[in-house]
Amino acid sequence: DAGVIQSPRHEVTEMGQEVTLRCKPISGHNSLFWYRQTMMRGLELLIYFNNNVPIDDSGMPEDRFSAKMPNASFSTLKIQPSEPRDSAVYFCAVQGRNYGYTFGSGTRLTVV
Amino acid sequence: SQELEQSPQSLIVQEGKNLTINCTSSKTLYGLYWYKQKYGEGLIFLMMLQKGGEEKSHEKITAKLDEKKQQSSLHITASQPSHAGIYLCGAPTNAGGTSYGKLTFGQGTILTVHP
């Protein structure tokens, strides 16, 4: 059990560029969540999937953000075009029955 | 939407002291999770409380859930430098409780423990 693996750990990109964040969840978990953490707003839920289907994307800031989960072992969060205000730590997490979320180590995104 | 307010926002204690962090919800609590986060790292699951009045302990950390007060508390006994970090509470946003669904998180409490 390798946990939830996110890549890259750090990403620095220029404004206007496309950014893709990746998540490989623990096998056997049906729900996957993308969170964003900033000092100002704390942890915010962006979107979550159940059985690879998006259930609630009301937290996605705007059309520049999109997320996919093509199969149970992989998910992506894409920002196109990126803006400096997107700078944050992005976490992927899974939820198992009878216990809390397991979080990945996060991707620290800096948009300059 | 549900909001979780944590208090205090930050806490500095001397090693060996006891401390309490509170988490108050704006709506009915259907369960409550506590997490710890080190800077630059992901969240580590500490405890999950599912029923009013429930109390759980792990090593020197005890958490309680008071459903009537829509509040949970996290108590650390004889704090150590290893307890330092950010503590976050999270609550399910639907009546399905802890078994399924998204969590709303508090802003976090930054704990510093001086040796």
Side-chain angles (χ1 to χ4, degrees), chain A:
Chain A
D1 183 349
V4 177
I5 300 172
Q6 291 186 245
S7 63
R9 286 297 308 274
H10 301 275
E11 176 80 35
V12 180
T13 191
E14 290 185 347
M15 182 174 63
Q17 295 298 307
E18 177 180 297
V19 176
T20 299
L21 311 181
R22 297 173 175 78
C23 175
K24 180 177 170 54
I26 301 170
S27 62
H29 289 73
N30 295 331
S31 299
L32 182 141
F33 304 78
W34 281 100
Y35 278 87
R36 177 172 67 175
Q37 187 178 39
T38 61
M39 287 294 292
M40 290 297 295
R41 300 174 69 89
L43 261 175
E44 302 174 282
L45 178 69
L46 299 177
I47 185 172
Y48 80 95
F49 296 83
N50 189 48
N51 292 324
N52 310 337
V53 175
I55 302 299
D56 184 349
D57 65 354
S58 59
M60 296 287 260
E62 47 199 272
D63 292 345
R64 297 184 297 107
F65 285 69
S66 62
K68 294 182 180 179
M69 192 167 183
N71 56 64
S73 59
F74 187 64
S75 178
T76 60
L77 178 68
K78 185 179 293 186
I79 308 172
Q80 165 63 20
S82 57
E83 296 182 3
R85 59 187 168 132
D86 301 331
S87 298
V89 181
Y90 291 81
F91 288 105
C92 174
V94 296
Q95 185 182 31
R97 195 164 292 278
N98 296 327
Y99 63 90
Y101 287 24
T102 298
F103 280 77
S105 297
T107 295
R108 182 173 296 276
L109 173 66
T110 303
V111 183
V112 297

